[in-house]
Amino acid sequence: MKLQLPWSGTALGLRKLHQQQQRWQQISGLPPALQRLVNTPLPGADTLLHNYPWLAFDFETSGMNAEQAHILSIGFVPVVARQIALDQAQHHYVASSVEIKEQTAILTHITPEMLKNAAGIDEAMERLFTHLAGHVAVVHGKMVEARFINHYLVTRYGLDTLPVIWLDTLEMGRQHQRLQQDGREDYRLASLRSRCGLPPYTAHNALSDAVATAELAMAQLACRFCNTPPTIGDILG
């Protein structure tokens, strides 16, 4: 299936995403959720961001190195028309073949007992891809989630870099601090939420962090774009 170009020609970011789609569409044997994701038409550059659904998600992992560490849990929540759909939120533990170290258990609050009946990584990623199709991926610190997703995809299918539009609250926080010439270098989720006047949440729970990220993204966009609703092209630069 070859998609029609959905932009006017000025959004280089969308053009690159379309090229990524074409590469993925050449792979046979993709699971249904991933196949649907890579065949979902991209929005136009002038599409208002709040008119296009989001999926805020977060991973809890056993470490930062995607080649050695494992995803232990995935939490995600849709955002539709600037409303966080808590009734559609999901949290899934992911089975791991490695022993969870004490330090990891303390940080993530995930113990080996919690993973005994957990889904395997293929099933867990299938669930994520099912809900990510046709959505903007909203995360705090894209380098973590993207790194783990890309490692999984390279291992399974020989390709990385899904054709997904990302909205990164950490990067938006960094850009805002730079524009404000604010010397603070603390871009943690809780710190950026505090600066936006948002209440504290329990950290290092995948679902809680996903909801916290969705709220932060809406607050940051309201501050950055004031009375001018941003478009898909705006967030892709």
Side-chain angles (χ1 to χ4, degrees), residues 60-89:
E60 290 299 321
T61 66
S62 62
M64 298 299 290
N65 187 335
E67 295 184 0
Q68 300 176 357
H70 295 259
I71 298 172
L72 301 178
S73 68
I74 299 175
F76 54 81
V77 61
V79 180
V80 182
R82 290 182 279 195
Q83 298 292 321
I84 299 175
L86 292 176
D87 59 330
Q88 299 177 44

PDB file of all heavy atoms in Angstrom, residues 60-89:
ATOM      1  N   GLU A  60       9.242   1.570  32.134  1.00  0.00           N
ATOM      2  CA  GLU A  60      10.156   1.348  33.247  1.00  0.00           C
ATOM      3  C   GLU A  60      11.084   0.233  32.799  1.00  0.00           C
ATOM      4  O   GLU A  60      10.622  -0.808  32.306  1.00  0.00           O
ATOM      5  CB  GLU A  60       9.404   0.950  34.521  1.00  0.00           C
ATOM      6  CG  GLU A  60       8.587   2.082  35.131  1.00  0.00           C
ATOM      7  CD  GLU A  60       9.435   3.284  35.544  1.00  0.00           C
ATOM      8  OE1 GLU A  60      10.556   3.069  36.068  1.00  0.00           O
ATOM      9  OE2 GLU A  60       8.999   4.422  35.326  1.00  0.00           O
ATOM     10  N   THR A  61      12.379   0.441  32.942  1.00  0.00           N
ATOM     11  CA  THR A  61      13.365  -0.497  32.424  1.00  0.00           C
ATOM     12  C   THR A  61      14.362  -0.893  33.509  1.00  0.00           C
ATOM     13  O   THR A  61      14.480  -0.242  34.540  1.00  0.00           O
ATOM     14  CB  THR A  61      14.129   0.119  31.238  1.00  0.00           C
ATOM     15  OG1 THR A  61      14.919   1.222  31.708  1.00  0.00           O
ATOM     16  CG2 THR A  61      13.165   0.603  30.161  1.00  0.00           C
ATOM     17  N   SER A  62      15.093  -1.958  33.223  1.00  0.00           N
ATOM     18  CA  SER A  62      16.090  -2.438  34.181  1.00  0.00           C
ATOM     19  C   SER A  62      17.409  -1.681  34.069  1.00  0.00           C
ATOM     20  O   SER A  62      18.335  -1.921  34.837  1.00  0.00           O
ATOM     21  CB  SER A  62      16.337  -3.939  33.972  1.00  0.00           C
ATOM     22  OG  SER A  62      16.846  -4.189  32.674  1.00  0.00           O
ATOM     23  N   GLY A  63      17.516  -0.785  33.120  1.00  0.00           N
ATOM     24  CA  GLY A  63      18.725   0.012  32.917  1.00  0.00           C
ATOM     25  C   GLY A  63      18.536   0.922  31.721  1.00  0.00           C
ATOM     26  O   GLY A  63      17.485   0.920  31.084  1.00  0.00           O
ATOM     27  N   MET A  64      19.555   1.708  31.402  1.00  0.00           N
ATOM     28  CA  MET A  64      19.446   2.680  30.325  1.00  0.00           C
ATOM     29  C   MET A  64      19.981   2.171  28.992  1.00  0.00           C
ATOM     30  O   MET A  64      19.684   2.737  27.949  1.00  0.00           O
ATOM     31  CB  MET A  64      20.193   3.968  30.710  1.00  0.00           C
ATOM     32  CG  MET A  64      19.635   4.653  31.947  1.00  0.00           C
ATOM     33  SD  MET A  64      17.915   5.159  31.734  1.00  0.00           S
ATOM     34  CE  MET A  64      18.116   6.499  30.556  1.00  0.00           C
ATOM     35  N   ASN A  65      20.771   1.114  29.020  1.00  0.00           N
ATOM     36  CA  ASN A  65      21.346   0.560  27.789  1.00  0.00           C
ATOM     37  C   ASN A  65      20.359  -0.412  27.171  1.00  0.00           C
ATOM     38  O   ASN A  65      20.140  -1.509  27.694  1.00  0.00           O
ATOM     39  CB  ASN A  65      22.672  -0.136  28.106  1.00  0.00           C
ATOM     40  CG  ASN A  65      23.412  -0.588  26.852  1.00  0.00           C
ATOM     41  OD1 ASN A  65      22.795  -0.819  25.797  1.00  0.00           O
ATOM     42  ND2 ASN A  65      24.713  -0.709  26.942  1.00  0.00           N
ATOM     43  N   ALA A  66      19.753  -0.025  26.065  1.00  0.00           N
ATOM     44  CA  ALA A  66      18.712  -0.846  25.451  1.00  0.00           C
ATOM     45  C   ALA A  66      19.230  -2.197  24.964  1.00  0.00           C
ATOM     46  O   ALA A  66      18.460  -3.147  24.838  1.00  0.00           O
ATOM     47  CB  ALA A  66      18.069  -0.090  24.286  1.00  0.00           C
ATOM     48  N   GLU A  67      20.530  -2.303  24.699  1.00  0.00           N
ATOM     49  CA  GLU A  67      21.087  -3.563  24.214  1.00  0.00           C
ATOM     50  C   GLU A  67      21.293  -4.563  25.347  1.00  0.00           C
ATOM     51  O   GLU A  67      21.433  -5.762  25.097  1.00  0.00           O
ATOM     52  CB  GLU A  67      22.409  -3.303  23.483  1.00  0.00           C
ATOM     53  CG  GLU A  67      22.237  -2.482  22.212  1.00  0.00           C
ATOM     54  CD  GLU A  67      23.542  -2.316  21.453  1.00  0.00           C
ATOM     55  OE1 GLU A  67      24.572  -2.855  21.928  1.00  0.00           O
ATOM     56  OE2 GLU A  67      23.526  -1.656  20.398  1.00  0.00           O
ATOM     57  N   GLN A  68      21.323  -4.080  26.576  1.00  0.00           N
ATOM     58  CA  GLN A  68      21.558  -4.963  27.709  1.00  0.00           C
ATOM     59  C   GLN A  68      20.388  -4.998  28.689  1.00  0.00           C
ATOM     60  O   GLN A  68      20.159  -6.019  29.344  1.00  0.00           O
ATOM     61  CB  GLN A  68      22.833  -4.537  28.453  1.00  0.00           C
ATOM     62  CG  GLN A  68      24.089  -4.582  27.602  1.00  0.00           C
ATOM     63  CD  GLN A  68      25.305  -4.061  28.337  1.00  0.00           C
ATOM     64  OE1 GLN A  68      25.220  -3.604  29.471  1.00  0.00           O
ATOM     65  NE2 GLN A  68      26.459  -4.110  27.681  1.00  0.00           N
ATOM     66  N   ALA A  69      19.665  -3.903  28.795  1.00  0.00           N
ATOM     67  CA  ALA A  69      18.565  -3.805  29.753  1.00  0.00           C
ATOM     68  C   ALA A  69      17.264  -4.310  29.135  1.00  0.00           C
ATOM     69  O   ALA A  69      17.196  -4.598  27.931  1.00  0.00           O
ATOM     70  CB  ALA A  69      18.410  -2.363  30.222  1.00  0.00           C
ATOM     71  N   HIS A  70      16.235  -4.400  29.958  1.00  0.00           N
ATOM     72  CA  HIS A  70      14.939  -4.920  29.521  1.00  0.00           C
ATOM     73  C   HIS A  70      13.828  -3.956  29.933  1.00  0.00           C
ATOM     74  O   HIS A  70      13.924  -3.281  30.960  1.00  0.00           O
ATOM     75  CB  HIS A  70      14.675  -6.295  30.144  1.00  0.00           C
ATOM     76  CG  HIS A  70      15.617  -7.345  29.692  1.00  0.00           C
ATOM     77  ND1 HIS A  70      15.293  -8.283  28.733  1.00  0.00           N
ATOM     78  CD2 HIS A  70      16.900  -7.619  30.055  1.00  0.00           C
ATOM     79  CE1 HIS A  70      16.319  -9.083  28.527  1.00  0.00           C
ATOM     80  NE2 HIS A  70      17.309  -8.700  29.320  1.00  0.00           N
ATOM     81  N   ILE A  71      12.766  -3.909  29.126  1.00  0.00           N
ATOM     82  CA  ILE A  71      11.560  -3.176  29.508  1.00  0.00           C
ATOM     83  C   ILE A  71      10.820  -4.014  30.549  1.00  0.00           C
ATOM     84  O   ILE A  71      10.536  -5.186  30.312  1.00  0.00           O
ATOM     85  CB  ILE A  71      10.658  -2.920  28.283  1.00  0.00           C
ATOM     86  CG1 ILE A  71      11.390  -2.067  27.248  1.00  0.00           C
ATOM     87  CG2 ILE A  71       9.353  -2.248  28.704  1.00  0.00           C
ATOM     88  CD1 ILE A  71      10.641  -1.931  25.936  1.00  0.00           C
ATOM     89  N   LEU A  72      10.511  -3.419  31.687  1.00  0.00           N
ATOM     90  CA  LEU A  72       9.834  -4.130  32.768  1.00  0.00           C
ATOM     91  C   LEU A  72       8.347  -3.814  32.833  1.00  0.00           C
ATOM     92  O   LEU A  72       7.554  -4.635  33.297  1.00  0.00           O
ATOM     93  CB  LEU A  72      10.493  -3.798  34.112  1.00  0.00           C
ATOM     94  CG  LEU A  72      11.987  -4.137  34.234  1.00  0.00           C
ATOM     95  CD1 LEU A  72      12.509  -3.710  35.593  1.00  0.00           C
ATOM     96  CD2 LEU A  72      12.225  -5.617  33.988  1.00  0.00           C
ATOM     97  N   SER A  73       7.966  -2.619  32.398  1.00  0.00           N
ATOM     98  CA  SER A  73       6.543  -2.269  32.374  1.00  0.00           C
ATOM     99  C   SER A  73       6.310  -1.160  31.365  1.00  0.00           C
ATOM    100  O   SER A  73       7.216  -0.373  31.052  1.00  0.00           O
ATOM    101  CB  SER A  73       6.036  -1.834  33.754  1.00  0.00           C
ATOM    102  OG  SER A  73       6.615  -0.607  34.145  1.00  0.00           O
ATOM    103  N   ILE A  74       5.100  -1.130  30.834  1.00  0.00           N
ATOM    104  CA  ILE A  74       4.672  -0.117  29.874  1.00  0.00           C
ATOM    105  C   ILE A  74       3.352   0.463  30.352  1.00  0.00           C
ATOM    106  O   ILE A  74       2.424  -0.280  30.681  1.00  0.00           O
ATOM    107  CB  ILE A  74       4.480  -0.718  28.465  1.00  0.00           C
ATOM    108  CG1 ILE A  74       5.793  -1.298  27.931  1.00  0.00           C
ATOM    109  CG2 ILE A  74       3.930   0.320  27.491  1.00  0.00           C
ATOM    110  CD1 ILE A  74       5.648  -2.010  26.591  1.00  0.00           C
ATOM    111  N   GLY A  75       3.272   1.768  30.407  1.00  0.00           N
ATOM    112  CA  GLY A  75       2.018   2.440  30.730  1.00  0.00           C
ATOM    113  C   GLY A  75       1.676   3.428  29.638  1.00  0.00           C
ATOM    114  O   GLY A  75       2.562   4.110  29.124  1.00  0.00           O
ATOM    115  N   PHE A  76       0.403   3.505  29.249  1.00  0.00           N
ATOM    116  CA  PHE A  76       0.022   4.484  28.233  1.00  0.00           C
ATOM    117  C   PHE A  76      -1.412   4.959  28.442  1.00  0.00           C
ATOM    118  O   PHE A  76      -2.234   4.259  29.043  1.00  0.00           O
ATOM    119  CB  PHE A  76       0.213   3.936  26.818  1.00  0.00           C
ATOM    120  CG  PHE A  76      -0.468   2.634  26.507  1.00  0.00           C
ATOM    121  CD1 PHE A  76      -1.808   2.588  26.167  1.00  0.00           C
ATOM    122  CD2 PHE A  76       0.237   1.446  26.536  1.00  0.00           C
ATOM    123  CE1 PHE A  76      -2.448   1.391  25.852  1.00  0.00           C
ATOM    124  CE2 PHE A  76      -0.372   0.239  26.225  1.00  0.00           C
ATOM    125  CZ  PHE A  76      -1.717   0.213  25.892  1.00  0.00           C
ATOM    126  N   VAL A  77      -1.658   6.172  27.952  1.00  0.00           N
ATOM    127  CA  VAL A  77      -2.982   6.762  28.072  1.00  0.00           C
ATOM    128  C   VAL A  77      -3.242   7.641  26.849  1.00  0.00           C
ATOM    129  O   VAL A  77      -2.384   8.432  26.447  1.00  0.00           O
ATOM    130  CB  VAL A  77      -3.118   7.595  29.370  1.00  0.00           C
ATOM    131  CG1 VAL A  77      -2.124   8.753  29.414  1.00  0.00           C
ATOM    132  CG2 VAL A  77      -4.539   8.102  29.557  1.00  0.00           C
ATOM    133  N   PRO A  78      -4.404   7.507  26.192  1.00  0.00           N
ATOM    134  CA  PRO A  78      -4.722   8.362  25.048  1.00  0.00           C
ATOM    135  C   PRO A  78      -5.124   9.770  25.498  1.00  0.00           C
ATOM    136  O   PRO A  78      -5.619   9.963  26.613  1.00  0.00           O
ATOM    137  CB  PRO A  78      -5.921   7.654  24.396  1.00  0.00           C
ATOM    138  CG  PRO A  78      -6.001   6.306  25.035  1.00  0.00           C
ATOM    139  CD  PRO A  78      -5.414   6.455  26.395  1.00  0.00           C
ATOM    140  N   VAL A  79      -4.891  10.724  24.611  1.00  0.00           N
ATOM    141  CA  VAL A  79      -5.357  12.100  24.805  1.00  0.00           C
ATOM    142  C   VAL A  79      -6.125  12.472  23.542  1.00  0.00           C
ATOM    143  O   VAL A  79      -5.564  12.453  22.448  1.00  0.00           O
ATOM    144  CB  VAL A  79      -4.198  13.079  25.035  1.00  0.00           C
ATOM    145  CG1 VAL A  79      -4.728  14.499  25.236  1.00  0.00           C
ATOM    146  CG2 VAL A  79      -3.347  12.647  26.229  1.00  0.00           C
ATOM    147  N   VAL A  80      -7.410  12.775  23.707  1.00  0.00           N
ATOM    148  CA  VAL A  80      -8.268  13.079  22.565  1.00  0.00           C
ATOM    149  C   VAL A  80      -8.937  14.429  22.798  1.00  0.00           C
ATOM    150  O   VAL A  80      -9.590  14.630  23.831  1.00  0.00           O
ATOM    151  CB  VAL A  80      -9.342  11.989  22.359  1.00  0.00           C
ATOM    152  CG1 VAL A  80     -10.195  12.307  21.138  1.00  0.00           C
ATOM    153  CG2 VAL A  80      -8.692  10.611  22.217  1.00  0.00           C
ATOM    154  N   ALA A  81      -8.774  15.336  21.852  1.00  0.00           N
ATOM    155  CA  ALA A  81      -9.384  16.662  21.940  1.00  0.00           C
ATOM    156  C   ALA A  81      -9.067  17.326  23.285  1.00  0.00           C
ATOM    157  O   ALA A  81      -9.937  17.855  23.966  1.00  0.00           O
ATOM    158  CB  ALA A  81     -10.892  16.577  21.731  1.00  0.00           C
ATOM    159  N   ARG A  82      -7.791  17.263  23.658  1.00  0.00           N
ATOM    160  CA  ARG A  82      -7.270  17.884  24.885  1.00  0.00           C
ATOM    161  C   ARG A  82      -7.880  17.300  26.153  1.00  0.00           C
ATOM    162  O   ARG A  82      -7.901  17.942  27.203  1.00  0.00           O
ATOM    163  CB  ARG A  82      -7.456  19.407  24.844  1.00  0.00           C
ATOM    164  CG  ARG A  82      -6.536  20.077  23.831  1.00  0.00           C
ATOM    165  CD  ARG A  82      -6.674  21.568  23.797  1.00  0.00           C
ATOM    166  NE  ARG A  82      -7.817  21.997  23.013  1.00  0.00           N
ATOM    167  CZ  ARG A  82      -8.024  23.225  22.585  1.00  0.00           C
ATOM    168  NH1 ARG A  82      -7.144  24.167  22.877  1.00  0.00           N
ATOM    169  NH2 ARG A  82      -9.080  23.532  21.874  1.00  0.00           N
ATOM    170  N   GLN A  83      -8.378  16.068  26.066  1.00  0.00           N
ATOM    171  CA  GLN A  83      -8.908  15.359  27.229  1.00  0.00           C
ATOM    172  C   GLN A  83      -8.116  14.076  27.434  1.00  0.00           C
ATOM    173  O   GLN A  83      -7.969  13.279  26.497  1.00  0.00           O
ATOM    174  CB  GLN A  83     -10.395  15.021  27.035  1.00  0.00           C
ATOM    175  CG  GLN A  83     -11.299  16.240  26.882  1.00  0.00           C
ATOM    176  CD  GLN A  83     -11.405  17.046  28.170  1.00  0.00           C
ATOM    177  OE1 GLN A  83     -11.466  16.493  29.265  1.00  0.00           O
ATOM    178  NE2 GLN A  83     -11.420  18.362  28.026  1.00  0.00           N
ATOM    179  N   ILE A  84      -7.600  13.880  28.650  1.00  0.00           N
ATOM    180  CA  ILE A  84      -6.863  12.656  28.959  1.00  0.00           C
ATOM    181  C   ILE A  84      -7.877  11.555  29.254  1.00  0.00           C
ATOM    182  O   ILE A  84      -8.657  11.649  30.205  1.00  0.00           O
ATOM    183  CB  ILE A  84      -5.923  12.865  30.150  1.00  0.00           C
ATOM    184  CG1 ILE A  84      -4.898  13.963  29.830  1.00  0.00           C
ATOM    185  CG2 ILE A  84      -5.198  11.564  30.510  1.00  0.00           C
ATOM    186  CD1 ILE A  84      -4.002  14.329  30.995  1.00  0.00           C
ATOM    187  N   ALA A  85      -7.865  10.516  28.436  1.00  0.00           N
ATOM    188  CA  ALA A  85      -8.867   9.443  28.535  1.00  0.00           C
ATOM    189  C   ALA A  85      -8.409   8.402  29.561  1.00  0.00           C
ATOM    190  O   ALA A  85      -7.920   7.326  29.205  1.00  0.00           O
ATOM    191  CB  ALA A  85      -9.087   8.805  27.167  1.00  0.00           C
ATOM    192  N   LEU A  86      -8.583   8.718  30.841  1.00  0.00           N
ATOM    193  CA  LEU A  86      -8.130   7.814  31.893  1.00  0.00           C
ATOM    194  C   LEU A  86      -8.844   6.464  31.846  1.00  0.00           C
ATOM    195  O   LEU A  86      -8.280   5.451  32.262  1.00  0.00           O
ATOM    196  CB  LEU A  86      -8.330   8.471  33.265  1.00  0.00           C
ATOM    197  CG  LEU A  86      -7.434   9.683  33.566  1.00  0.00           C
ATOM    198  CD1 LEU A  86      -7.806  10.292  34.903  1.00  0.00           C
ATOM    199  CD2 LEU A  86      -5.963   9.287  33.546  1.00  0.00           C
ATOM    200  N   ASP A  87     -10.076   6.463  31.328  1.00  0.00           N
ATOM    201  CA  ASP A  87     -10.808   5.199  31.250  1.00  0.00           C
ATOM    202  C   ASP A  87     -10.214   4.250  30.205  1.00  0.00           C
ATOM    203  O   ASP A  87     -10.550   3.064  30.174  1.00  0.00           O
ATOM    204  CB  ASP A  87     -12.283   5.455  30.938  1.00  0.00           C
ATOM    205  CG  ASP A  87     -12.499   6.195  29.623  1.00  0.00           C
ATOM    206  OD1 ASP A  87     -11.622   6.986  29.234  1.00  0.00           O
ATOM    207  OD2 ASP A  87     -13.539   5.978  28.989  1.00  0.00           O
ATOM    208  N   GLN A  88      -9.316   4.767  29.360  1.00  0.00           N
ATOM    209  CA  GLN A  88      -8.661   3.928  28.357  1.00  0.00           C
ATOM    210  C   GLN A  88      -7.186   3.676  28.677  1.00  0.00           C
ATOM    211  O   GLN A  88      -6.466   3.069  27.883  1.00  0.00           O
ATOM    212  CB  GLN A  88      -8.778   4.583  26.984  1.00  0.00           C
ATOM    213  CG  GLN A  88     -10.210   4.777  26.498  1.00  0.00           C
ATOM    214  CD  GLN A  88     -10.277   5.490  25.165  1.00  0.00           C
ATOM    215  OE1 GLN A  88      -9.512   5.196  24.246  1.00  0.00           O
ATOM    216  NE2 GLN A  88     -11.177   6.440  25.037  1.00  0.00           N
ATOM    217  N   ALA A  89      -6.746   4.138  29.828  1.00  0.00           N
ATOM    218  CA  ALA A  89      -5.350   3.963  30.219  1.00  0.00           C
ATOM    219  C   ALA A  89      -5.045   2.491  30.478  1.00  0.00           C
ATOM    220  O   ALA A  89      -5.913   1.727  30.916  1.00  0.00           O
ATOM    221  CB  ALA A  89      -5.050   4.785  31.466  1.00  0.00           C
TER     222      ALA A  89
END
